[in-house]
Amino acid sequence: MAIKQTTNEGLKRAYLITLTKEEIAGKIDAEIKKIAPQVKMPGFRPGKVPANLVKKMHGEQIHGQTVNDMIRDSVDAMIRDENLRPAMQPSIALSDGYEEGKDAEITVELEVLPQIEAPSVEGLKLEKLVVPVTDEQIREAIENVAGQNKSYKDAAKTKKAAERNQLIIDFLGKIDGEPFEGGKAEDAPLVIGSGAFIPGFEEQLVGAKAGDEKTITVTFPEDYQAEHLAGKEAEFDVTVKAVKVETDTKIDDEFAKQLGLDSLEKLEEIMKGQLEQQTAGLTRTQMKRALLDQLAAGHDFEVPATMVEAEFQQIWAQLQQEAAKEENPEDALKQIEEEKDDYRAIAERRVRLGLLLSEIGQANDVQVSGQEMNMLIQQAAQQYREEDRERFVQYIQQEPMAAAQLRAPLYEDKVVDFLFDKAEVTEREVTTEELQAAIEADEEAEAEKAKETKAPAKKSAAKKAPAKKPAVKKAPAKKAPTKKPAAKTTPAKDGDIGDAKPAAKKAPAKKAPAKKAPAKKTDTAAKADVDKSTAKKAPARKPAAKKAPAKKASAKKTAGS
């Protein structure tokens, strides 16, 4: 094997690896000898099939697999021997003219992580904006709980059902005269106007009285989760067994006991804790932004363009999704298009910040424990159908990049917490509105600071910094289709980081493009992605793992829920 560097410009590197035909032939012969004892062929005893016949039967497959393995091993050896720290998955291509019996030339292109020094963690000063919880806020929160836990009493038998009344009903649904699964219930509570049932169901029961029997006709929504019912017209035979009206809820110890608590005092204590937790999230966001501003000051080094592009694409995808939901999508899209350069500058700033945080974490031995990682995996697995959860766990265990993506948000939080502990923190009481205004001001300031550092100086220093990683993505269940985006990033939030460099993926047989490494499409700032401009990809340290299963469908309204 021969390795020749062909490009060394800034963070860009390119290499030409040559595998000689003799090396390839030797590996193929060794592989044939290895598998021959397991090959079965009519006319031969097990393990006695001649090597030349094994090669004739399986030669093309063995050749393709062997070349892939050799490419994988040679790229791994090159990265190790050249002391490279890839920022993203390398782009790897086998020369177009390659065929069996010839030397194989492999082109490897990649960007490396910049050499940076971990910023000093001494002398950090932060202001913590704290929102005190008032008795009035606690009372209002309890009243909201009371409003969500309404009680009802029987109305007069002559009472006609109206908005906000509760009906107790039996129903039987039919399509084309035949009952369907899930279309029957007894003593089902229904509050008119709640929107709990499919469109048109509740409205047709307005005016009904206890003892009434009605047949109502509705059409299931086109996007109904039960595909065999979606878009179909159904008739429901409904018996109204009772009409009930709301009763006033008295907030006292008895009300608290209905909620499973000992007293109203205990309920107030719980509500205060919840309110404090809500504002604590805003306080953390404000402190984190102030921290990142301090870290960003004075650190202006070159960052890998592929990482910036990946981060920008994630921000841009979310912005487009949000614009599409606006009252005038065309105007919203036009507006973000005009600010495209600004968002690209924000992406660059976030990548730089992520590398700084990652360097601080490594320099100070911040780690995600095995127990914490197992908890992350189990929590993420709950997003999938029960029968697919084990497949997801195996996917994470087999894919280093996917594991790093899942680990990234927690790793970032732990680095930020480490820095909070090191900082000198002063508290100042503010209102919720003032805290939110401070966060919004920080968002605007982030964009301005990003503009100011659009063309950073190429400054380097002395330590390794791992690449940022995305929060893990999930792939749909069948075969190996593209991955489904997860949801985390907002364009206003500084990004996540990772603590391990990406691993390459396994390439298929000769000249065919390899499968891409799991790539993010939306949501979460400062993530790594695959270079989409390259047709042929690198093989991995081990065979590509099965794709993660699809997330379970979100529950929608059923006929009686």
Side-chain angles (χ1 to χ4, degrees):
M1 179 181 76
I3 300 174
K4 178 183 177 182
Q5 187 179 71
T6 57
T7 300
N8 186 342
E9 300 174 358
L11 300 177
K12 293 183 179 180
R13 303 286 186 274
Y15 296 86
L16 181 65
I17 300 176
T18 302
L19 302 175
T20 67
K21 59 186 178 183
E22 292 80 10
E23 289 175 314
I24 297 172
K27 289 283 188 180
I28 290 173
D29 290 343
E31 186 64 22
I32 289 173
K33 289 179 182 179
K34 180 180 176 181
I35 69 170
Q38 285 81 46
V39 175
K40 295 180 181 179
M41 183 181 293
F44 295 92
R45 286 180 296 162
K48 300 297 181 180
V49 180
N52 64 325
L53 290 181
V54 174
K55 185 172 184 178
K56 185 176 181 179
M57 289 175 60
H58 304 287
E60 183 175 354
Q61 179 183 353
I62 293 171
H63 170 257
Q65 183 63 47
T66 300
V67 170
N68 278 328
D69 291 344
M70 293 182 72
I71 291 174
R72 175 197 64 199
D73 293 341
S74 64
V75 171
D76 286 350
M78 182 200 75
I79 290 173
R80 182 180 61 251
D81 295 343
E82 296 289 327
N83 293 318
L84 300 175
R85 296 178 298 114
M88 304 283 285
Q89 181 170 334
S91 163
I92 301 176
L94 180 63
S95 60
D96 289 336
Y98 174 73
E99 59 185 35
E100 188 172 1
K102 291 185 176 181
D103 292 348
E105 292 187 337
I106 300 100
T107 301
V108 183
E109 297 177 351
L110 70 157
E111 282 188 299
V112 296
L113 293 169
Q115 298 290 329
I116 59 176
E117 288 183 354
S120 172
V121 298
E122 303 301 327
L124 291 172
K125 294 183 178 181
L126 296 172
E127 182 180 51
K128 183 177 183 179
L129 304 184
V130 180
V131 179
V133 176
T134 65
D135 292 342
E136 182 181 352
Q137 289 174 314
I138 296 172
R139 185 71 181 179
E140 183 179 344
I142 293 176
E143 288 174 353
N144 288 336
V145 172
Q148 295 166 10
N149 290 271
K150 298 182 184 296
S151 56
Y152 297 87
K153 64 179 180 181
D154 288 333
K157 294 189 178 295
T158 56
K159 164 70 177 173
K160 294 182 178 181
E163 193 84 1
R164 299 171 62 182
N165 289 165
Q166 184 187 66
L167 278 63
I168 306 300
I169 60 174
D170 295 343
F171 63 80
L172 175 64
K174 301 176 183 177
I175 294 178
D176 296 330
E178 294 294 327
F180 59 88
E181 184 179 357
K184 180 180 180 181
E186 295 181 354
D187 295 329
L190 165 62
V191 177
I192 294 180
S194 65
F197 281 51
I198 58 178
F201 194 101
E202 298 169 15
E203 292 84 345
Q204 296 182 59
L205 291 175
V206 172
K209 302 188 300 295
D212 284 358
E213 295 183 357
K214 299 188 69 171
T215 298
I216 60 179
T217 302
V218 293
T219 300
F220 285 94
E222 293 291 341
D223 61 349
Y224 195 66
Q225 77 272 21
E227 293 181 3
H228 66 290
L229 299 177
K232 292 188 177 180
E233 185 177 271
E235 286 188 346
F236 284 86
D237 296 331
V238 180
T239 300
V240 180
K241 302 176 79 171
V243 176
K244 297 175 177 282
V245 294
E246 291 181 19
T247 59
D248 292 333
T249 301
K250 187 177 180 181
I251 298 175
D252 54 14
D253 286 342
E254 191 60 35
F255 171 68
K257 289 177 181 178
Q258 291 174 12
L259 298 176
L261 302 174
D262 295 335
S263 64
L264 178 58
E265 183 179 355
K266 185 64 176 177
L267 176 58
E268 290 172 341
E269 180 183 328
I270 290 174
M271 296 311 301
K272 181 180 180 180
Q274 291 181 357
L275 290 169
E276 288 175 339
Q277 190 173 13
Q278 290 171 11
T279 57
L282 294 175
T283 294
R284 180 183 174 84
T285 297
Q286 169 265 325
M287 284 184 66
K288 180 180 175 182
R289 290 199 173 136
L291 170 67
L292 295 180
D293 285 346
Q294 290 190 43
L295 293 178
H299 291 88
D300 214 9
F301 50 86
E302 183 182 12
V303 293
T306 48
M307 292 181 73
V308 174
E309 179 62 21
E311 171 63 15
F312 169 74
Q313 290 300 331
Q314 293 155 15
I315 293 173
W316 193 247
Q318 178 150 348
L319 287 168
Q320 289 180 313
Q321 290 175 3
E322 292 174 354
K325 298 174 184 177
E326 294 290 337
E327 187 174 345
N328 191 328
E330 289 186 8
D331 286 351
L333 288 169
K334 183 179 178 180
Q335 180 179 346
I336 64 170
E337 190 69 38
E338 292 172 353
E339 300 169 345
K340 198 168 188 176
D341 288 345
D342 295 340
Y343 287 114
R344 192 175 295 278
I346 290 173
E348 181 175 324
R349 180 175 187 264
R350 292 180 181 178
V351 169
R352 186 173 290 107
L353 285 169
L355 291 174
L356 285 170
L357 284 176
S358 180
E359 189 62 39
I360 291 170
Q362 285 200 344
N364 293 279
D365 199 30
V366 176
Q367 296 182 5
V368 173
S369 69
Q371 183 179 4
E372 289 171 329
M373 191 62 194
N374 288 334
M375 289 180 63
L376 286 176
I377 294 172
Q378 295 304 319
Q379 288 170 1
Q382 297 307 308
Q383 300 175 73
Y384 294 91
R385 297 187 299 266
E386 187 172 354
E387 62 269 23
D388 289 330
R389 289 172 188 168
E390 184 59 33
R391 285 185 56 211
F392 171 77
V393 172
Q394 292 175 357
Y395 169 73
I396 295 297
Q397 292 172 341
Q398 294 171 359
E399 289 295 332
M401 179 177 284
Q405 291 168 352
L406 183 61
R407 183 191 302 113
L410 177 59
Y411 185 76
E412 176 183 351
D413 283 343
K414 296 190 77 167
V415 175
V416 169
D417 287 338
F418 167 79
L419 292 173
F420 284 168
D421 289 341
K422 288 286 185 180
E424 179 184 331
V425 179
T426 56
E427 293 189 2
R428 177 163 64 93
E429 289 190 358
V430 295
T431 64
T432 303
E433 292 73 22
E434 288 172 334
L435 177 55
Q436 290 173 334
I439 292 172
E440 290 171 4
D442 285 343
E443 291 173 4
E444 295 174 3
E446 179 192 18
E448 290 303 317
K449 288 167 185 170
K451 291 181 195 177
E452 293 168 5
T453 57
K454 269 186 183 178
K458 296 181 180 180
K459 194 161 61 167
S460 63
K463 259 191 172 183
K464 66 178 181 179
K468 296 182 185 181
K469 297 294 186 295
V472 72
K473 290 308 174 195
K474 288 80 182 174
K478 296 182 180 179
K479 298 183 181 177
T482 55
K483 299 184 101 180
K484 182 179 179 181
K488 181 180 179 295
T489 300
T490 62
K493 182 180 184 296
D494 283 292
D496 295 335
I497 59 173
D499 59 342
K501 68 184 180 183
K505 297 277 289 184
K506 173 124 182 154
K510 84 169 178 180
K511 297 173 67 173
K515 294 179 182 178
K516 292 182 180 180
K520 281 193 91 152
K521 285 295 158 269
T522 63
D523 119 308
T524 179
K527 314 295 191 276
D529 203 350
V530 178
D531 180 4
K532 302 170 186 66
S533 64
T534 307
K536 297 175 183 177
K537 296 294 175 183
R541 290 187 164 84
K542 56 184 175 183
K546 294 181 181 179
K547 296 291 181 180
K551 282 185 180 180
K552 59 188 177 185
S554 299
K556 292 187 179 179
K557 297 172 186 176
T558 61
S561 64

